Amino acid sequence: MNQKTFINPFQITVDPMEQLLLINFEQDPDTTYIGFEPQVFDDPVNGTGHLVIGWRGDGRVDVYHQPSLSLNPAKYDIAGKGLAHMVEREMAGAEFVVNRYGIQAFYEFKDIHNRLVTIQIKEQNPKARKPFGLLAPMGAAAETPSSMPLVLLHDFYFVRKNHTTIEILIDGRGHKPDQLPVPMDFTSMLFTRYSPRPLIAMLNPAVDGEMTPLTIEVGSAEAHQGDAIFAFTWTNDEPGLKGITYKNKVHPIELRFEEAFPDIQTLANGSRHQGNFEIEGHPTTGRIGGNYTVEKGDDQVAITMIPSQGWRPRPTK
């Protein structure tokens, strides 16, 4: 069979993460911090262990991590105004468990000012949790993001106020956690929330280098490259990209095009192509929709993707 090459300008990478917890106390802030974000890892990239992101009042973040983790500081450019400090800490007794009663968490470490930080949550609610899926709102605070973050939170839920003991201590001073302003599931909730199965994906991480073409058989409906599966349609032996499925251990993520994305190698100068796109993971986390354009002029190709339809959630909450 005849073969053709196709340049794929899209990439979705996944940063493995086992668990995620977010604790806000903006209504009762510390002199440095307004929130903490414990995370748990167990993978060949980051290692095995816990870290805690300290969200600062100035918009930057401090990252405290166990010695067993090997982290890339550059990836924290999507968090607020970026990384201020990355500090290694032992965090003896660190715990993050979600059971039938809710979340059980414990963290203790010294911060950059040598103050003891203690975070403890014991949720003992007898009622069954009613988790749902969510695309985490990243906000507009990121000043120099190197990719488009897609933080898909599976089995997401808030910590229930009743039957819960929560302690946030910084240098001996307690801080009250923010509360969700309205009840959910007929229950008062804290604005402390968690996901025992997050999927941290990055759309098109910044890169400056050669793009390796994908070799495909003429007329073939599918091609494979690493963890990606490509779906093609053909017109006069010219391929159009209908979608890409990115496999990972949590749930596949799909990037789909309603009007097939063209082969940019064969575009004529002065040509313009447009269509719609969708990004979707597990159905419970909803989907992102928008439009794209491809323009070629002076032997350069400009691709624009605008998520004009925003996030379309599936759950009723």
Side-chain angles (χ1 to χ4, degrees):
M1 295 181 65
N2 294 330
Q3 292 183 328
K4 291 187 71 76
T5 59
F6 185 92
I7 290 182
N8 166 42
F10 305 102
Q11 185 181 18
I12 293 180
T13 63
V14 172
D15 184 15
M17 184 186 297
E18 300 298 309
Q19 295 167 308
L20 173 68
L21 168 65
L22 300 106
I23 307 162
N24 286 67
F25 45 95
E26 292 186 55
Q27 303 305 313
D28 185 18
D30 171 56
T31 52
T32 301
Y33 298 113
I34 58 174
F36 290 117
E37 183 177 331
Q39 300 176 358
V40 183
F41 294 89
D42 183 14
D43 63 85
V45 177
N46 300 292
T48 300
H50 298 250
L51 69 77
V52 178
I53 296 177
W55 287 88
R56 300 158 52 112
D58 64 7
R60 304 177 75 191
V61 297
D62 295 331
V63 176
Y64 301 95
H65 66 92
Q66 290 183 320
S68 54
L69 292 180
S70 178
L71 304 174
N72 177 10
K75 75 178 184 180
Y76 292 95
D77 63 5
I78 65 169
K81 295 182 179 180
L83 182 66
H85 304 93
M86 179 172 283
V87 186
E88 188 177 294
R89 292 290 187 261
E90 289 292 339
M91 296 189 194
E95 180 186 40
F96 189 135
V97 175
V98 178
N99 59 22
R100 58 177 293 189
Y101 301 108
I103 186 169
Q104 321 301 320
F106 175 80
Y107 291 91
E108 194 166 70
F109 58 92
K110 290 286 188 72
D111 73 0
I112 56 172
H113 306 298
N114 203 36
R115 303 178 302 173
L116 182 64
V117 176
T118 302
I119 303 166
Q120 186 164 352
I121 303 174
K122 290 185 177 180
E123 193 176 5
Q124 299 296 319
N125 201 303
K127 293 183 179 180
R129 298 165 59 249
K130 297 181 180 180
F132 54 98
L134 184 77
L135 171 69
M138 295 297 292
E143 294 187 341
T144 56
S146 59
S147 64
M148 172 66 179
L150 305 168
V151 181
L152 304 173
L153 303 179
H154 302 88
D155 299 330
F156 175 85
Y157 210 50
F158 293 90
V159 173
R160 292 160 290 184
K161 186 177 179 180
N162 295 331
H163 306 285
T164 295
T165 300
I166 183 167
E167 187 175 54
I168 307 164
L169 289 174
I170 303 175
D171 202 24
R173 190 209 154 181
H175 295 267
K176 295 180 181 179
D178 295 345
Q179 298 188 35
L180 202 64
V182 294
M184 179 179 290
D185 300 327
F186 306 102
T187 303
S188 295
M189 300 283 192
L190 300 175
F191 196 47
T192 300
R193 58 257 189 237
Y194 58 94
S195 169
R197 207 161 59 95
L199 177 55
I200 315 299
M202 304 295 171
L203 172 63
N204 275 20
V207 63
D208 184 5
E210 183 178 352
M211 303 181 72
T212 303
L214 176 69
T215 300
I216 51 178
E217 303 287 345
V218 173
S220 175
E222 193 173 279
H224 296 251
Q225 187 179 60
D227 291 331
I229 303 173
F230 299 83
F232 289 100
T233 184
W234 294 83
T235 303
N236 299 325
D237 289 341
E238 293 297 332
L241 182 63
K242 290 292 293 180
I244 314 173
T245 300
Y246 296 89
K247 297 182 292 182
N248 60 81
K249 72 175 187 178
V250 178
H251 193 277
I253 300 177
E254 292 185 62
L255 170 60
R256 300 186 293 263
F257 300 98
E258 186 176 318
E259 297 295 332
F261 191 88
D263 181 7
I264 60 176
Q265 299 175 107
T266 59
L267 292 178
N269 275 327
S271 62
R272 187 176 189 272
H273 189 96
Q274 63 184 22
N276 298 319
F277 73 90
E278 287 185 335
I279 302 173
E280 184 175 25
H282 191 279
T284 60
T285 59
R287 65 179 63 176
I288 300 164
N291 57 281
Y292 76 87
T293 59
V294 185
E295 297 178 282
K296 184 173 182 180
D298 298 327
D299 294 321
Q300 291 190 345
V301 177
I303 302 169
T304 304
M305 298 178 71
I306 301 176
S308 51
Q309 297 176 11
W311 174 53
R312 290 175 286 175
R314 290 289 178 87
T316 57
K317 296 188 193 303

